[in-house]
Amino acid sequence: MMAGTSTMVKGKRVDIGGILLYCFLTFFGLLMLSPLVYMVSSALKPTSELFLFPPRFFVMNPTLKNFKDLLLATGTSIVPFSRYIFNSIVVSASIVIGSTVISAFAAYPLSKHEVPFKKAIFSMIIFALMFAPQVTQIPQFLVVSKLGMMNTYFALILPYLAAPVSLFLMKQFLDQIPDALIEATRIEGASEWTLFWRIVMPMLKPAWATLGLFSFIGAWNDPWSATIYTTTESMKTPPLALQTLNGGFGVVARAGTVAAASLLMIIPTIIVFVITQRMVLETMAHSGIKE
């Protein structure tokens, strides 16, 4: 160990450099956490504390009135905010489940079967990753409109089920599964359906956990699809509703309601990340393994 980075205290070696690094990282970790703490504090503040000067970081008299006003009677919409949350839950859950299953179905033959033009198909998938999502927005809108799916859950779900990045992730992870394991299962007499669901899918848990996390965050925080594919209040989602609350007349009076809505928007993403973080980190650790 380098001189100056450790010292002896009562016969024990103390790593001064490690302690300083730990304190440094802890400070910046708390600094990054402060916006979330302030959001929670603002959501619990009564109106009298929201407009104090100088402003207070922590709430002194917490209240749930902001959440009550948000969920029951915001006064800014003909439908309650709880309807927006329900819409987003349905859309996000459908996209997570659908994109995971479809990507696994599509990646499995590309990785473990001799498919005609397999390399060309995968090259097209890589090529599709080069385009920004905005490039396909107009064609998607035309297709959804011509099929008569406007103002339906299908319009908010179907365009996002087949994503090139999802297929790429699944295919790369499938490549790490030994072909010998697949062949041994076939020799034992397992059908392709049994092989896929009982052997392949359980081994893909880290991959579909990562894909589920990214898909959920993207779907939950996406205001664009509800803006384009819906024209009725009952089909809108929280990101679009939050923009309505955060603008227009009365925005000052609705400051507490906006803070409560922002907190409700971020809580589900934190919960999903906490649930899936172990498998996501496992995916990162395995991403560099080669056969």
Side-chain angles (χ1 to χ4, degrees):
M1 187 173 294
M2 294 178 62
T5 60
S6 63
T7 185
M8 299 293 294
V9 177
K10 295 182 179 181
K12 295 182 179 180
R13 185 176 298 275
V14 178
D15 187 1
I16 302 298
I19 294 176
L20 292 176
L21 178 62
Y22 180 82
C23 294
F24 178 78
L25 295 177
T26 301
F27 170 75
F28 277 95
L30 294 175
L31 189 64
M32 295 177 64
L33 190 63
S34 60
L36 179 61
V37 176
Y38 184 74
M39 181 187 301
V40 175
S41 177
S42 299
L44 297 175
K45 285 181 180 179
T47 305
S48 58
E49 291 188 32
L50 285 169
F51 303 105
L52 287 178
F53 187 83
R56 293 175 179 173
F57 189 87
F58 295 104
V59 57
M60 303 301 295
N61 300 295
T63 179
L64 296 177
K65 185 177 183 299
N66 295 327
F67 295 94
K68 180 181 178 181
D69 293 341
L70 174 68
L71 297 175
L72 299 181
T74 60
T76 60
S77 174
I78 60 176
V79 295
F81 195 82
S82 55
R83 172 67 185 187
Y84 300 139
I85 296 177
F86 174 78
N87 291 341
S88 198
I89 291 175
V90 172
V91 172
S92 300
S94 300
I95 290 176
V96 168
I97 297 173
S99 61
T100 301
V101 174
I102 290 175
S103 299
F105 276 157
Y108 177 62
L110 288 177
S111 177
K112 300 303 179 184
H113 286 265
E114 291 300 325
V115 179
F117 309 108
K118 181 169 65 174
K119 292 185 178 180
I121 295 173
F122 188 66
S123 298
M124 292 177 62
I125 296 171
I126 300 297
F127 186 67
L129 294 173
M130 300 172 60
F131 293 95
Q134 291 77 9
V135 174
T136 60
Q137 287 176 352
I138 294 179
Q140 285 179 353
F141 173 78
L142 295 176
V143 171
V144 170
S145 178
K146 294 296 183 181
L147 292 177
M149 294 191 300
M150 298 291 289
N151 292 313
T152 65
Y153 287 123
F154 292 106
L156 302 175
I157 297 171
L158 292 180
Y160 302 97
L161 291 183
V165 65
S166 303
L167 180 53
F168 175 80
L169 175 64
M170 282 291 184
K171 200 268 183 186
Q172 293 301 100
F173 205 92
L174 270 165
D175 287 344
Q176 299 176 15
I177 298 178
D179 293 336
L181 176 62
I182 304 296
E183 292 300 328
T185 308
R186 290 196 181 106
I187 293 174
E188 292 294 329
S191 64
E192 287 295 332
W193 187 257
T194 302
L195 172 61
F196 179 80
W197 284 109
R198 295 192 176 183
I199 303 298
V200 175
M201 283 300 282
M203 297 184 69
L204 288 177
K205 276 186 179 180
W208 54 254
T210 304
L211 176 58
L213 174 64
F214 292 157
S215 299
F216 180 84
I217 293 176
W220 184 264
N221 296 320
D222 177 30
W224 185 87
S225 57
T227 305
I228 301 300
Y229 299 134
T230 63
T231 57
T232 59
E233 286 292 328
S234 60
M235 288 302 301
K236 295 188 183 302
T237 54
L240 183 59
L242 184 59
Q243 291 181 358
T244 303
L245 288 172
N246 205 23
F249 297 101
V251 64
V252 176
R254 296 197 302 270
T257 305
V258 172
S262 301
L263 181 59
L264 289 179
M265 280 290 299
I266 198 172
I267 286 177
T269 58
I270 295 176
I271 293 175
V272 172
F273 176 75
V274 170
I275 294 174
T276 61
Q277 64 172 336
R278 182 180 61 83
M279 287 185 285
V280 171
L281 293 176
E282 186 177 343
T283 302
M284 302 301 179
H286 282 56
S287 61
I289 295 178
K290 302 295 182 182
E291 292 184 1

